[in-house]
């Protein structure tokens, strides 16, 4: 019958979406819009060494390393109805994680906030890589700006695209003088 076919379709769709929900690394959650307590969370919370039972019923606020961050997230969420790729620090099982949050408000039939739904993912490796890159760039910049030899970067026809500050000491001209000239303009 038609009802049996509809029920079969519903069961197949639930199985399909449950499989997705249970296999992704991002942590999906649903929380009450009134008290911000977590109602449901994906099994991927195991990535953070947590079980759903440890999280369900707790307020989202409890997981923020800096409580002020939660106020900023809530403010933006209320103002825009959603947040995308918002980076904060969570404290989970006594370990601090840099996470990126996506979340939105779900409204009921009376247009009142009913749920907060969203996801978060661990971006600690990305944040650490960015920090390492900043340190590396600072080291390179310091070397570049302080060595005595003249460093220059050219394109394939020899046009100078960049020159180190030591150019000014060696040639007694501003660095801008060298830019857009070719290296051949400096050979005798």
């Amino acid at each position: 019958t038609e009802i049996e076919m509809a029920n079969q379709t519903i069961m197949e769709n639930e199985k399909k979406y449950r499989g997705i929900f249970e296999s992704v690394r991002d942590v999906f959650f649903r929380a009450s819009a009134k008290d911000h307590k977590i109602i449901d969370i994906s099994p991927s919370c195991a990535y953070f060494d947590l079980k759903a039972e440890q999280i369900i019923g707790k307020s989202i606020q409890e997981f923020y390393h800096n409580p002020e961050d939660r106020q900023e997230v809530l403010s933006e969420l209320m103002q825009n109805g959603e947040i995308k790729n918002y980076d904060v620090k969570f404290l989970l099982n006594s370990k601090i994680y840099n996470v990126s949050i996506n979340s939105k408000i779900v409204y009921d039939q009376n247009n009142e906030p009913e749920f907060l739904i969203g996801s978060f993912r661990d971006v600690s490796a990305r944040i650490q890589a960015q920090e390492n890159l900043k340190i590396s760039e600072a080291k390179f910049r310091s070397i570049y700006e302080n060595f005595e030899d003249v460093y220059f970067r050219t394109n394939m026809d020899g046009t100078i695209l960049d020159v180190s500050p030591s150019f000014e000491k060696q040639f007694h001209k501003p660095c801008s003088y060298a830019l857009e000239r070719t290296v051949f303009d400096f050979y005798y």
Side-chain angles (χ1 to χ4, degrees), residues 11-141:
M11 286 176 30
E12 288 172 6
N13 283 338
E14 183 185 340
K15 183 178 178 183
K16 177 173 65 173
Y17 292 116
R18 177 62 56 184
I20 292 169
F21 184 68
E22 291 177 350
S23 65
V24 295
R25 278 192 71 149
D26 287 7
V27 177
F28 293 92
F29 64 89
R30 182 171 59 122
S32 165
K34 291 179 179 42
D35 60 11
H36 303 172
K37 288 189 178 177
I38 296 173
I39 297 167
D40 197 13
I41 193 155
S42 64
S44 52
C45 63
Y47 174 78
F48 295 95
D49 295 323
L50 294 168
K51 293 180 180 163
E53 305 82 52
Q54 294 173 276
I55 298 172
I56 293 174
K58 291 189 176 180
S59 172
I60 296 170
Q61 175 80 26
E62 294 179 40
F63 301 106
Y64 281 79
H65 179 63
N66 300 315
E68 307 84 45
D69 289 344
R70 179 64 182 157
Q71 294 309 315
E72 289 178 27
V73 167
L74 279 176
S75 175
E76 186 164 332
L77 194 55
M78 294 306 187
Q79 183 177 359
N80 300 320
E82 69 178 339
I83 56 170
K84 293 181 181 178
N85 301 317
Y86 199 97
D87 291 350
V88 296
K89 291 182 180 185
F90 272 10
L91 181 62
L92 305 167
N93 273 344
S94 303
K95 184 175 178 189
I96 297 172
Y97 292 91
N98 290 293
V99 298
S100 181
I101 302 173
N102 293 292
S103 185
K104 67 184 252 177
I105 301 171
V106 176
Y107 296 90
D108 65 15
Q109 65 273 13
N110 299 321
N111 206 28
E112 294 292 324
E114 185 175 20
F115 299 112
L116 304 175
I117 60 168
S119 65
F120 62 91
R121 71 173 48 168
D122 184 6
V123 293
S124 299
R126 183 194 74 191
I127 299 292
Q128 186 60 52
Q130 289 172 338
E131 290 298 318
N132 292 344
L133 182 60
K134 284 180 189 175
I135 291 167
S136 178
E137 286 175 345
K139 284 181 186 177
F140 175 75
R141 173 70 45 203

Side-chain angles (χ1 to χ4, degrees), residues 1-10:
T1 69
E2 214 173 283
I3 294 175
E4 289 173 344
M5 287 177 50
N7 284 337
Q8 181 64 29
T9 301
I10 290 170

Side-chain angles (χ1 to χ4, degrees), residues 138-153:
K139 284 181 186 177
F140 175 75
R141 173 70 45 203
S142 176
I143 292 168
Y144 174 77
E145 291 177 350
N146 292 303
F147 61 59
E148 295 295 321
D149 294 338
V150 175
Y151 163 84
F152 57 91
R153 184 173 54 94

